[in-house]
C-alpha cells in the first residue's frame, strides 16, 4: 500500500533553505516505489518559493499564503500543517531540525497522536527495517531508533543528509485557504534578525568560531575576514557571547545552535562540553589555541598551538593568495 510523505519546506525572503532538499531526500530514503511526495510551504508571498519547489520530484506543492503566516507562529503553523496533512492524506511528515522544526514537530505529534523521531542524522533501510540515527548525551554517543507507529514525524539535522536536487519537473501548485483564529493566546508583533554573514550559520559548509580567546568585539573582525575568504559563516562560544564580544545569534553549543559543517575552525575556544555539543559532529575540526592542554584539541583533527591573532591572518592571506592564483590559472 502506497504512502504519502509530506515535507515542510523552509524559506527566507523567497530563497529556499537547503534543509528543504535534505528533508525530501530523507523521505525518498524512507519511501518505496509508488509512494507519493508532497511539499508544503507556509508564509506570506510564497509564490517564488513554491515555483522553485515545483521543480523537485514531488507530486504537488501545497501553499498556505497569508499575512498572519509571515512569521512562524506555533499555534497557527501547527493548525495549517495539520490541515494540509489531512487534505493530502499524509502518513509521514518530515521537516528540518531547525528552530521552527524543533518547536513544531512535537506539537504536531501530540495533536495528531503520531510517533516522533527528532534530530536525525542518518536514515538506513534494510529490507523492511528502517533505522534512524540520532546523537545523544550532547553528541558523545549515537542511538539507532526504530519507529513502531504507522504514522510518524521526522526532523532532520541540517548538513547530514545529501539534499535532493531539482529535476526540472513541473509539479502542481495547490493553494490552501487559511482563516486566522482570533482566539490565539499570543501573537508575533515583530521578528528582529541579526545576521552575522551572507551564509546562514546552521547551513554553512565552513564555520569559523571564536571564544573568550578573541578577547574583544574587535577581535572577531579577524575571524570575519577568514570566514569571508573561505565563503563561510562566523560562530561563537557562549563564553564569547556572555563577555559581550558578539551577539547571542552566533552562539554554538548545547544552549545555542547546532552546526555540522565540513570544516569547523575553533579560534580561542577551550572546548567545554557545552560547546562541543553544538559542533563535535563537524567533518573536520581545526583548533587554534595558545594552551596545548585545551580540551578542544581532544576532538580536533588538526591543532595549531599559537596566538590566533598571528595564525588566523596568515591563514586568511594564504587562502586569498591561493584563490587569486587559481583564478589567474
Amino acid at each position: 500500500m502506497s504512502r504519502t510523505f509530506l515535507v515542510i519546506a523552509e524559506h527566507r525572503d523567497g530563497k529556499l533553505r537547503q534543509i528543504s532538499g535534505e528533508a525530501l531526500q530523507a523521505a525518498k530514503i524512507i519511501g518505496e516505489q509508488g509512494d507519493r511526495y508532497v511539499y508544503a510551504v507556509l508564509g506570506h508571498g510564497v509564490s517564488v518559493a513554491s515555483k522553485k519547489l515545483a521543480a523537485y520530484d514531488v507530486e504537488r506543492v501545497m501553499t498556505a499564503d497569508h499575512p498572519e503566516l509571515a512569521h512562524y507562529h506555533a499555534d497557527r503553523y501547527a493548525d495549517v500543517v495539520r490541515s494540509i496533512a489531512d487534505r493530502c492524506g499524509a502518513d509521514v511528515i518530515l521537516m528540518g531540525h531547525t528552530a521552527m522544526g524543533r518547536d513544531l514537530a512535537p506539537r504536531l505529534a501530540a495533536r495528531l497522536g503520531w510517533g516522533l523521531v527528532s534530530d536525525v542524522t542518518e536514515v538506513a533501510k534494510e529490507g523492511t527495517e528502517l533505522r534512524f540515527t540520532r546523537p545523544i548525551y550532547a553528541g558523545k554517543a549515537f542511538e539507532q531508533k526504530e519507529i513502531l507507529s504507522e504514522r510518524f514525524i521526522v526532523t532532520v539535522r541540517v548538513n547530514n543528509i545529501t539534499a535532493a536536487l531539482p529535476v526540472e519537473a513541473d509539479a502542481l501548485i495547490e493553494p490552501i485557504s487559511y482563516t486566522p483564529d482570533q482566539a490565539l493566546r499570543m501573537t508575533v508583533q515583530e521578528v528582529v534578525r541579526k545576521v552575522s554573514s551572507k551564509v546562514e550559520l546552521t547551513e554553512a559548509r565552513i564555520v569559523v568560531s571564536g571564544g573568550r580567546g578573541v578577547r574583544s568585539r574587535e577581535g572577531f573582525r579577524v575571524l570575519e575576514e577568514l570566514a569571508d575568504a573561505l565563503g563561510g559563516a562566523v560562530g561563537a562560544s557562549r563564553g564569547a557571547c556572555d563577555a559581550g564580544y558578539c551577539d547571542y545569534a552566533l552562539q554554538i553549543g548545547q544552549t545555542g545552535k547546532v552546526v555540522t559543517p565540513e570544516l569547523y575552525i575553533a579560534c580561542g575556544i577551550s572546548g567545554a562540553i557545552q560547546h562541543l555539543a553544538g559542533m563535535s559532529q563537524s567533518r573536520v575540526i581545526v583548533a587554534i589555541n595558545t594552551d596545548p592542554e585545551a580540551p578542544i584539541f581532544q576532538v580536533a583533527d588538526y591543532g595549531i598551538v599559537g596566538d590566533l591573532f598571528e595564525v588566523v591572518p596568515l591563514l586568511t592571506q594564504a587562502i586569498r593568495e591561493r584563490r587569486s592564483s587559481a583564478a589567474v590559472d
Side-chain angles (χ1 to χ4, degrees):
M1 183 176 179
S2 64
R3 294 182 295 176
T4 298
F5 291 80
L6 176 62
V7 180
I8 310 303
E10 291 195 35
H11 61 99
R12 182 173 295 172
D13 301 324
K15 183 179 180 181
L16 292 176
R17 300 188 65 180
Q18 73 179 44
I19 188 60
S20 302
E22 294 170 354
L24 176 60
Q25 184 60 32
K28 297 282 187 179
I29 296 172
I30 299 170
E32 299 176 353
Q33 187 174 3
D35 288 339
R36 303 187 309 149
Y37 302 91
V38 177
Y39 259 131
V41 57
L42 288 67
H44 182 49
V46 300
S47 59
V48 174
S50 61
K51 289 178 181 177
K52 291 179 179 177
L53 290 169
Y56 285 78
D57 184 21
V58 295
E59 179 186 84
R60 53 181 160 158
V61 178
M62 305 181 76
T63 66
D65 195 326
H66 194 281
E68 296 292 345
L69 299 175
H71 303 301
Y72 172 70
H73 185 289
D75 288 330
R76 286 184 178 134
Y77 272 52
D79 287 342
V80 175
V81 174
R82 181 174 184 175
S83 176
I84 291 175
D86 289 341
R87 184 158 179 166
C88 71
D91 298 288
V92 182
I93 300 175
L94 297 99
M95 64 187 77
H97 193 70
T98 59
M100 183 186 84
R102 287 196 298 269
D103 184 65
L104 179 60
R107 188 181 300 267
L108 268 175
R111 291 190 182 187
L112 294 169
W114 291 13
L116 170 65
V117 56
S118 62
D119 201 13
V120 170
T121 58
E122 183 181 353
V123 181
K125 190 174 183 181
E126 296 181 5
T128 59
E129 291 187 0
L130 186 64
R131 289 190 177 89
F132 299 94
T133 301
R134 60 186 302 274
I136 56 174
Y137 303 129
K140 286 185 174 181
F142 289 86
E143 67 173 355
Q144 288 190 334
K145 281 194 169 184
E146 294 183 20
I147 195 151
L148 301 179
S149 174
E150 292 185 1
R151 292 184 171 181
F152 55 91
I153 299 172
V154 178
T155 65
V156 179
R157 181 180 286 199
V158 180
N159 274 345
N160 279 267
I161 295 176
T162 303
L165 299 175
V167 293
E168 300 304 323
D170 189 18
L172 172 68
I173 297 177
E174 180 182 345
I176 303 298
S177 61
Y178 170 69
T179 302
D181 184 352
Q182 302 302 321
L184 291 172
R185 290 172 293 179
M186 71 170 188
T187 60
V188 179
Q189 297 295 329
E190 182 183 7
V191 174
V192 179
R193 289 196 184 99
K194 295 186 178 180
V195 182
S196 61
S197 64
K198 299 177 182 177
V199 184
E200 170 68 30
L201 180 57
T202 56
E203 296 182 352
R205 299 292 181 183
I206 299 174
V207 174
V208 180
S209 195
R212 287 186 181 274
V214 178
R215 300 203 294 265
S216 68
R217 183 173 289 270
E218 291 72 25
F220 264 87
R221 294 177 184 172
V222 177
L223 307 190
E224 290 169 359
E225 291 178 0
L226 177 58
D228 184 62
L230 291 168
V234 175
S237 68
R238 178 170 180 172
C241 296
D242 287 345
Y245 302 161
C246 59
D247 192 87
Y248 281 99
L250 304 186
Q251 184 183 337
I252 295 170
Q254 193 168 25
T255 55
K257 296 179 178 178
V258 175
V259 297
T260 50
E262 294 178 2
L263 173 62
Y264 188 89
I265 304 177
C267 306
I269 296 175
S270 63
I273 185 60
Q274 290 83 358
H275 183 72
L276 297 183
M279 47 67 68
S280 61
Q281 302 308 312
S282 303
R283 307 290 197 284
V284 176
I285 300 173
V286 176
I288 303 172
N289 202 297
T290 55
D291 180 9
E293 302 299 323
I296 190 69
F297 286 120
Q298 297 177 15
V299 298
D301 297 283
Y302 301 95
I304 301 175
V305 178
D307 187 341
L308 72 90
F309 293 103
E310 295 178 2
V311 175
V312 173
L314 290 175
L315 286 175
T316 303
Q317 181 181 352
I319 290 165
R320 286 175 175 168
E321 289 177 353
R322 175 64 65 88
R323 290 197 165 180
S324 177
S325 176
V328 172
D329 295 341

